[in-house]
Amino acid sequence: MLKNKVALVTGASRGIGRAIAVELARHGADVIVNYFNDEPRASKVADEIKALGMKSIALKADVSNFDEVSKMFEKIKGEFGKLDILVNNAGITKDRSLKKMAQEEWGKVIETNLGSIYNVTKNALPMMQKDSRIISISSIVGIYGNFGQANYAASKAGIIGFSKSLAKELGRHGITVNVIAPGFIESEMTKDIGFLKKKILTYMIPLKRSGMPEDVANLAAFLASEKSGYITGQVIRVSGGLVI
Ligand code: NAD
């Protein structure tokens, strides 16, 4: 399904990014595994992809740093010559009510989650052709807001505005731009949520379970495929129906 396609997944050494990278490879794509600092885990993901018979390399770059991202793309150009699928996945949280939120906690989350979308997509575009796909991972928090997450919610809502605008700019070039808004997914990002809060969250989820990274990866693979060719500018929730 994704034969001869080249994909880049940011923050792919673990969690949702890892699951997406592996799922794209399972569908036949060559995958670049971007990572921040965990080289051993990123290499393991690249090895997993190679074991599936696909080409893969792990490339280090802080996606909040435009120059580092540009350098990563020079390597991608040298190694693969093109990019068909971009998955903007890297993200962080620094939760605190606004009253207590330091400027650094605001800035870091905005730069990492939203600044990165400019840095990576801007560098990716010149390497993309007709039928390419841009998929960005937002959150249902970007739609509903959440207590203690003004910085995170603003960054994730920003991804939605960016993507809806870009869908309008790139439609004529045959490039689709879509957003996945996950709900409560089990990963290192959510592992420190307290037992009681997890219970309450699960109770609130109509499907009565937290999501797995693979639940998000399945949609990413569909959006990356030619089967999603008439879908652009959309925000699709993978949340078990959760409304927070
Ligand atoms: P995670 O913490 O396991 O993964 C985040 C990844 O991003 C890590 O690999 C991390 O190294 C990478 N990263 C962070 N800063 C980076 C930087 N500056 N440069 C490059 N990489 C960087 O968490 P996850 O749950 O797998 O999160 C993946 C994405 O899904 C994030 O954007 C997150 O906001 C989003 N999301 C997660 C949930 C959830 O419930 N887990 C819900 C909604 C949205």
Side-chain angles (χ1 to χ4, degrees):
M1 201 158 80
L2 298 177
K3 212 165 170 277
N4 298 321
K5 301 283 185 195
V6 178
L8 164 66
V9 184
T10 65
S13 61
R14 66 184 202 202
I16 293 171
R18 188 204 76 87
I20 293 173
V22 172
E23 190 61 22
L24 295 180
R26 249 188 225 123
H27 285 82
D30 295 328
V31 185
I32 298 130
V33 176
N34 159 257
Y35 68 97
F36 185 39
N37 52 18
D38 197 341
E39 198 275 328
R41 275 177 93 173
S43 292
K44 228 176 121 195
V45 178
D47 287 344
E48 214 177 317
I49 290 167
K50 284 184 227 162
L52 292 167
M54 299 302 131
K55 202 173 156 187
S56 183
I57 49 169
L59 291 180
K60 181 178 166 71
D62 173 353
V63 291
S64 68
N65 181 316
F66 190 86
D67 292 338
E68 280 191 31
V69 172
S70 297
K71 285 191 187 114
M72 173 174 73
F73 271 92
E74 278 167 28
K75 289 183 195 151
I76 295 173
K77 199 165 186 189
E79 195 83 20
F80 296 88
K82 64 160 186 168
L83 189 72
D84 303 290
I85 300 156
L86 166 62
V87 183
N88 286 309
N89 164 77
I92 56 167
T93 52
K94 283 189 185 290
D95 296 353
R96 215 171 285 278
S97 63
L98 184 63
K99 208 172 160 188
K100 296 179 188 156
M101 190 183 292
Q103 203 177 351
E104 190 269 337
E105 290 164 330
W106 166 262
K108 197 83 194 146
V109 169
I110 296 293
E111 279 161 31
T112 303
N113 297 2
L114 184 57
S116 66
I117 304 290
Y118 171 84
N119 297 342
V120 180
T121 313
K122 175 85 177 166
N123 276 288
L125 263 187
M127 289 179 60
M128 299 187 114
Q129 322 226 330
K130 196 178 169 293
D131 295 328
S132 290
R133 303 275 186 262
I134 298 170
I135 301 159
S136 298
I137 310 301
S138 173
S139 165
I140 59 167
V141 168
I143 299 168
Y144 302 118
N146 198 22
F147 187 97
Q149 291 199 304
N151 51 0
Y152 184 75
S155 71
K156 293 299 185 181
I159 291 176
I160 294 173
F162 175 94
S163 301
K164 288 188 173 187
S165 303
L166 203 60
K168 292 183 173 169
E169 292 180 19
L170 299 182
R172 71 193 66 180
H173 302 296
I175 300 174
T176 67
V177 187
N178 290 294
V179 174
I180 300 178
F184 172 39
I185 309 293
E186 285 185 29
S187 74
E188 273 166 66
M189 185 174 274
T190 51
K191 75 176 187 328
D192 292 331
I193 292 179
F195 175 77
L196 196 61
K197 202 169 171 195
K198 263 186 193 160
K199 273 260 175 241
I200 294 167
L201 262 174
T202 310
Y203 175 76
M204 286 164 66
I205 298 170
L207 288 178
K208 299 296 166 213
R209 68 167 177 91
S210 48
M212 299 306 290
E214 290 70 24
D215 291 312
V216 180
N218 288 335
L219 175 60
F222 169 70
L223 288 175
S225 77
E226 83 268 9
K227 291 192 177 176
S228 71
Y230 201 57
I231 300 171
T232 196
Q234 300 307 305
V235 181
I236 305 175
R237 291 161 225 212
V238 180
S239 64
L242 176 63
V243 176
I244 52 175

